[in-house]
């Protein structure tokens, strides 16, 4: 019996040493082996994550975080937009084709249409270069901008018409609801009136019957 207990404890210690290289640790694996059995404690140790795997995963996560931080520093959208705007302003000042194109659009458009056309011109310049800022391409930009403005205006009119239609439908529904409520109120008023009249008639009948009863009692007395 004593030898069995000693073997049990020794095996539990061995399992605990195996568990010390894993996430479960020495004490937990030793205690599990001592309480349940060394075999069950060994299975629990095997199921537990290895410290080497844990360290490797942590290093991968740190590398990923570092790379994400580096990418976020390099891909600064505000800096890119500011740099692009500075280049575009310089192009308007120093490149004749760009300056002429801007003047051409200024002479043909105004307001929001002009702002949108300048954005298209900027995109065309950044994509294809100043050689493509020809009069035909500028006219295409103007046609596209006017078509978009007309489309937007039509969509706005349709939206307003739809809102007016919904408003009219809402007013009609409100009127129907009001009429229905008024009709219900009238019905309730008629019912209350009928109840009142019936109550008065019953009261009169009761009073008459009581008077006749009293008169009869007096005559008999």
């Amino acid at each position: 019996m004593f030898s069995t207990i000693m073997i049990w404890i020794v095996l539990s210690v061995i399992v605990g040493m195996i568990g010390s290289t894993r996430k479960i640790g020495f004490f937990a694996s030793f205690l599990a082996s001592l309480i349940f059995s060394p075999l069950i404690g060994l299975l629990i140790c095997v199921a537990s994550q290895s410290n080497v795997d844990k360290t490797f995963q942590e290093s991968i996560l740190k590398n990923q975080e570092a790379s994400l931080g580096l990418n976020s520093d390099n891909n600064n959208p505000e800096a890119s937009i500011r740099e692009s705007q500075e280049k575009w302003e310089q192009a308007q000042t120093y490149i004749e084709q760009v300056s002429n194109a801007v003047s051409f659009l200024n002479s043909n458009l105004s307001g929001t249409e002009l702002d949108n056309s300048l954005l298209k011109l900027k995109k065309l310049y950044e994509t294809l270069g100043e050689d493509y800022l020809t009069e035909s391409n500028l006219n295409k930009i103007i046609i596209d901008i006017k078509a978009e403005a007309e489309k937007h205006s039509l969509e706005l009119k349709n939206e307003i018409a739809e809102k007016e239609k919904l408003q009219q439908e809402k007013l009609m529904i409100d009127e129907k609801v009001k009429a229905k409520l008024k009709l219900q109120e009238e019905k309730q008023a008629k019912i209350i009136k009928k109840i009142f009249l019936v109550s008065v008639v019953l009261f009169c009948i009761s009073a008459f019957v009581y008077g006749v009863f009293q008169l009869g009692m007096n005559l008999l007395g």
Side-chain angles (χ1 to χ4, degrees):
M1 183 68 180
F2 179 75
S3 60
T4 304
I5 295 175
M6 289 301 298
I7 293 172
W8 188 283
I9 294 174
V10 170
L11 291 175
S12 298
V13 172
I14 294 172
V15 173
M17 293 175 65
I18 296 173
S20 63
T21 62
R22 294 181 173 272
K23 187 178 180 180
I24 189 173
F26 174 84
F27 181 76
S29 56
F30 171 75
L31 191 62
S33 300
L34 198 63
I35 294 174
F36 301 107
S37 73
L39 180 60
I40 294 176
L42 180 62
L43 292 175
I44 294 173
C45 287
V46 172
S48 179
Q49 186 182 17
S50 174
N51 289 335
V52 177
D53 295 337
K54 184 180 178 181
T55 305
F56 181 69
Q57 290 179 359
E58 289 177 352
S59 64
I60 290 176
L61 288 174
K62 288 181 180 179
N63 290 332
Q64 288 179 348
E65 291 175 355
S67 62
L68 288 173
L70 183 61
N71 290 333
S72 62
D73 291 338
N74 292 334
N75 299 327
N76 190 339
E78 294 182 359
S80 299
I81 294 172
R82 186 166 56 252
E83 183 180 357
S84 175
Q85 186 61 30
E86 289 176 356
K87 288 182 179 179
W88 173 240
E89 292 175 356
Q90 291 177 359
Q92 293 181 63
T93 304
Y94 299 108
I95 299 177
E96 184 178 359
Q97 292 94 324
V98 177
S99 178
N100 293 336
V102 172
S103 299
F104 181 81
L105 293 176
N106 278 318
S107 62
N108 288 276
L109 298 172
S110 61
T112 306
E113 293 182 355
L114 176 60
D115 295 335
N116 293 335
S117 66
L118 291 176
L119 289 175
K120 284 184 175 290
L121 178 65
K122 179 175 178 288
K123 187 175 181 180
L124 178 63
Y125 167 72
E126 291 176 347
T127 305
L128 301 176
E130 65 270 14
D131 293 336
Y132 285 83
L133 303 182
T134 60
E135 186 175 350
S136 60
N137 287 334
L138 295 177
N139 287 324
K140 288 180 182 179
I141 291 176
I142 293 173
I143 292 172
D144 290 342
I145 290 297
K146 289 185 176 180
E148 290 175 1
E150 291 178 359
K151 182 180 178 181
H152 179 70
S153 177
L154 182 61
E155 290 176 351
L156 186 61
K157 289 180 180 178
N158 292 334
E159 185 178 353
I160 293 173
E162 187 68 22
K163 287 183 178 179
E164 290 178 351
K165 182 180 178 181
L166 292 174
Q167 188 68 23
Q168 290 177 356
E169 291 178 353
K170 184 179 178 182
L171 290 174
M172 291 177 63
I173 292 173
D174 291 342
E175 290 177 358
K176 289 181 180 179
V177 171
K178 288 179 180 179
K180 189 175 181 180
L181 290 174
K182 186 177 180 181
L183 185 61
Q184 289 179 351
E185 290 175 356
E186 291 176 354
K187 288 182 179 179
Q188 290 178 354
K190 289 180 180 179
I191 292 171
I192 293 171
K193 187 177 180 181
K194 288 180 180 179
I195 292 173
F196 177 75
L197 291 175
V198 171
S199 301
V200 171
V201 171
L202 290 175
F203 176 77
C204 293
I205 292 173
S206 300
F208 177 76
V209 171
Y210 178 76
V212 171
F213 176 76
Q214 288 292 333
L215 180 62
M217 292 295 292
N218 291 331
L219 291 175
L220 291 174

